[in-house]
Amino acid sequence: GGCAVGYSGPLCSVCDEGYGKGYRGTCEACSHVAADLVIIFLLLIVVLSVLLFSTIIIIQNYSVQSSLIGRSITTGIILVFYLQTVSLLAQLDLQIEDNYSGALAIVGVIADFRFYVLQSTNCVVSRLGLTSLHMSVIYSIGFIIFTALVALGTGLIVHRWPEYLMSQESIAAREGRLEVHNAIAALATSGRRRRDKVADRGVIYIKEHTKKAITAAAAQVVVVFLIQVVAITSFQLFDCQTIETSEGTESYVRSDMTVSCTSGVYNTVIGYATFVAIIVSGVFPLTAILGIAAARRHFSNDSYRLWTCTITYGVKDMCFFYQGMIIVRRILCICAIVFANYPLDSYMMVWALTIFTALTAFIQPDRKSV
């Protein structure tokens, strides 16, 4: 009864029906449901477009990383990593003005598609009866769906327009690879008719346009953009806050006070969240390190660059582990934010960033042209 208009629930941290929490963390009246749905649909289109064109421009120019377009792509990847790290500051309980915290939240929306902080999203989620438990499932499943859609869209576009978003250096490099492929195909066959058939097939063979290469590139792009938000939505479910009520002691998920940590639904979904947390904090970093190390060992330099085109773009061969290190840094920062209290979480995050900045300066992963 003592909550302001639009607020209710434990510690007055829940928005009333018809209200949604915006990126500043305040509950505001929801607009018409159609308007919110249109906004969400447009946001999804933007996400798919960014992932799609990022995949195309990377896979079309993977072999010219020392060129102007290659350096531009490398700069773009570094910028995304930087903005995602900056956006984590919005998760800390810093005593800063609302305008600054709102700006950090917007950076998170742009850099890693953290749409659950937007009012339109929260209004639709509330109307559908969903909670943060469901958001964790939605983001992790969306990870798979976006990978499939991006791979499909990339395949359709590059097969229809093989030189789309290619630089002149990439076109020249591709022509050189096709000449080599045709020569090998001709030498590997006997008989004029068979040789001509294989040679003709070689003219249209572009190995970066194979299904496996496109799927690998799409999966890596989706990992770069979405792994942080998937990790946040999953790890937040483990952070329960105990409060005293008139009926006794209750425990709620700190990021969503509508979810009781003792409910049956929570106990069911927390198992799924544990699985996702293991994937993003263990499997992904190990794959980014050991998998890339195996690719570097077993493939030629050109094939190695193709199969790891996003994860190793602009990175020296000897620093193949660098992106795995970046994923570990993200997970450590998220764990500090979720599981440590202020100001310990700030200290842990600053130390993690300082250590990894020093390591980056020491190994210099992107100084040498590749």
Side-chain angles (χ1 to χ4, degrees), residues 115-127:
F115 296 145
Y116 64 85
V117 303
L118 298 177
Q119 184 192 14
S120 296
T121 303
N122 286 316
C123 286
V124 172
V125 166
S126 177
R127 289 188 177 106

Side-chain angles (χ1 to χ4, degrees), residues 2 24 96 100 131 135 165 199 222 226 264 320 333 369:
R24 289 190 175 90
I96 58 178
Y100 294 122
T131 64
M135 293 303 295
L165 295 180
V222 173
L226 294 184
F320 60 88
C333 290
S369 297

Side-chain angles (χ1 to χ4, degrees), residues 58-78:
I58 288 174
I59 202 170
Q60 293 283 68
N61 300 279
Y62 80 93
S63 61
V64 291
Q65 298 184 22
S66 59
S67 65
L68 177 60
I69 183 67
R71 292 194 296 271
S72 300
I73 295 173
T74 301
T75 302
I77 294 174
I78 294 173

Side-chain angles (χ1 to χ4, degrees), residues 155-368:
L156 293 174
I157 291 174
V158 297
H159 286 113
R160 178 65 179 83
W161 299 284
E163 296 184 358
Y164 184 61
L165 295 180
M166 287 188 69
S167 65
Q168 291 300 319
E169 295 92 338
S170 297
I171 294 174
R174 176 179 291 175
E175 291 175 350
R177 292 195 302 272
L178 289 178
E179 291 178 1
V180 173
H181 173 78
N182 290 340
I184 294 175
L187 292 173
T189 58
S190 60
R192 181 178 180 83
R193 182 177 180 182
R194 177 62 179 166
R195 182 170 62 250
D196 291 343
K197 183 178 180 181
V198 174
D200 290 341
R201 187 188 305 168
V203 173
I204 61 172
Y205 173 79
I206 303 174
K207 68 177 181 177
E208 60 265 33
H209 290 178
T210 59
K211 292 181 180 179
K212 291 182 179 180
I214 290 174
T215 302
Q220 292 171 59
V221 169
V222 173
V223 166
V224 167
F225 279 96
L226 294 184
I227 186 174
Q228 181 163 298
V229 69
V230 171
I232 291 174
T233 54
S234 298
F235 277 87
Q236 281 181 340
L237 299 182
F238 296 93
D239 184 21
C240 292
Q241 179 180 4
T242 301
I243 62 175
E244 297 291 338
T245 66
S246 58
E247 300 178 354
T249 301
E250 294 288 344
S251 182
Y252 295 93
V253 175
R254 190 184 302 272
S255 60
D256 187 352
M257 286 291 185
T258 64
V259 179
S260 172
C261 293
T262 58
S263 64
V265 176
Y266 176 82
N267 293 329
T268 300
V269 178
I270 199 64
Y272 178 82
T274 302
F275 171 76
V276 174
I278 292 173
I279 295 296
V280 298
S281 62
V283 176
F284 281 172
L286 288 176
T287 301
I289 296 174
L290 301 180
I292 293 176
R296 181 170 177 262
R297 179 182 178 87
H298 291 94
F299 293 111
S300 65
N301 184 65
D302 184 69
S303 296
Y304 161 70
R305 285 295 175 183
L306 172 60
W307 291 108
T308 63
C309 57
T310 302
I311 300 298
T312 64
Y313 206 104
V315 178
K316 294 185 294 186
D317 287 350
M318 62 180 295
C319 297
F320 60 88
F321 57 86
Y322 181 68
Q323 297 302 349
M325 189 178 76
I326 294 297
I327 295 176
V328 172
R329 184 193 69 184
R330 293 188 191 183
I331 300 301
L332 290 177
C333 290
I334 293 171
C335 288
I337 292 169
V338 172
F339 298 113
N341 296 322
Y342 182 81
L344 181 60
D345 54 355
S346 302
Y347 296 151
M348 293 175 64
M349 183 172 175
V350 169
W351 273 110
L353 295 177
T354 301
I355 292 172
F356 278 91
T357 299
L359 287 175
T360 300
F362 177 73
I363 65 177
Q364 299 177 356
D366 55 353
R367 170 166 290 189
K368 181 180 177 181

Side-chain angles (χ1 to χ4, degrees), residues 3-41:
C3 299
V5 176
Y7 295 84
S8 62
L11 304 180
C12 296
S13 59
V14 179
C15 294
D16 276 333
E17 184 177 354
Y19 287 80
K21 189 170 292 185
Y23 62 88
R24 289 190 175 90
T26 57
C27 294
E28 300 175 3
C30 295
S31 57
H32 194 275
V33 62
D36 291 332
L37 290 174
V38 169
I39 292 174
I40 292 176
F41 176 77

